[in-house]
Amino acid sequence: MSPFVSRLAALALALGVAGVAVFGVALPLAERHRALGEEIETLQDQLARFEARIAAGAPPQRLVVAEPALFEAPSDAMAAATLQDVLSDVILESGGRLDSVRIESAVDLEEAGRQIPVTLSLTTDMEGLAEILHGIESHRPYLFVEQVEVRRRRTGTSLADDTSAEVQEVDLRLRIYGLRRAPEGGE
């Protein structure tokens, strides 16, 4: 290969690497930065409105919940199905096994919207448990854990001696709810 072709190939390779860096790293980071900036502006505006309402004497419990905190669904059943899908994804991504799901009756919270509760039974290991709880904690719209029951699941042939059996998995029962905007005409 001639020196000119070698230099041309090296230049093309350098441009290719630069292109990957720009389109694969820089643009997604810039987009994420822009989205976070918009979210911060929205939250600052909302904070200013809340502070103004409090200064005007409005009781804090009457403040409207932030929009990203609410499930957008035309009915309680659709919100519950969405919540079930979200929780199933969180559990499966953590390596857990969903054993059962029970969708419970929605509770009216007046101006704050409607509480959509779901009870789950699942099995996971301790690392998966941490991932599940983190997934619930960091999810938007917000999820609220109302009740947690954890039972150890032991392995081994002898359960008589507590030290001979090693805890590998846990059975978990969670009661979780999300919030849905109150319907305009009632539901």
Side-chain angles (χ1 to χ4, degrees):
M1 195 174 346
S2 71
F4 176 73
V5 173
S6 294
R7 286 185 182 150
L8 193 57
L11 179 62
L13 182 62
L15 288 175
V17 169
V20 167
V22 168
F23 290 106
V25 177
L27 289 179
L29 283 175
E31 176 59 26
R32 179 69 178 144
H33 185 267
R34 184 197 59 75
L36 287 173
E38 288 177 2
E39 187 174 345
I40 288 170
E41 279 184 34
T42 301
L43 292 173
Q44 286 174 335
D45 291 345
Q46 188 174 31
L47 178 61
R49 286 194 314 272
F50 286 171
E51 288 173 341
R53 286 192 67 181
I54 290 171
Q61 67 269 20
R62 294 191 173 271
L63 297 177
V64 178
V65 178
E67 295 302 319
L70 300 173
F71 278 91
E72 296 291 336
S75 68
D76 291 342
M78 292 295 291
T82 302
L83 178 57
Q84 179 180 347
D85 288 344
V86 164
L87 293 169
S88 295
D89 290 345
V90 168
I91 291 164
L92 295 176
E93 287 172 8
S94 73
R97 184 181 74 240
L98 186 59
D99 298 325
S100 70
V101 177
R102 187 176 76 224
I103 297 173
E104 300 177 19
S105 298
V107 177
D108 189 18
L109 300 176
E110 296 178 16
E111 290 182 25
R114 295 185 50 87
Q115 178 179 331
I116 310 296
V118 174
T119 300
L120 307 165
S121 293
L122 61 114
T123 304
T124 188
D125 59 14
M126 292 305 287
E127 184 177 316
L129 174 59
E131 290 177 23
I132 289 168
L133 293 176
H134 180 265
I136 291 169
E137 175 186 37
S138 61
H139 190 271
R140 299 296 180 273
Y142 298 123
L143 302 176
F144 302 90
V145 178
E146 188 171 38
Q147 181 182 10
V148 178
E149 294 177 22
V150 181
R151 283 182 296 225
R152 298 185 299 184
R153 183 178 272 202
R154 299 186 180 274
T155 61
T157 56
S158 171
L159 293 177
D161 181 10
D162 241 10
T163 59
S164 67
E166 205 176 296
V167 176
Q168 289 187 347
E169 292 186 328
V170 292
D171 290 324
L172 192 62
R173 185 167 182 256
L174 296 168
R175 186 168 194 272
I176 298 172
Y177 67 89
L179 296 176
R180 175 181 166 251
R181 181 184 324 285
E184 293 295 324
E187 189 172 353

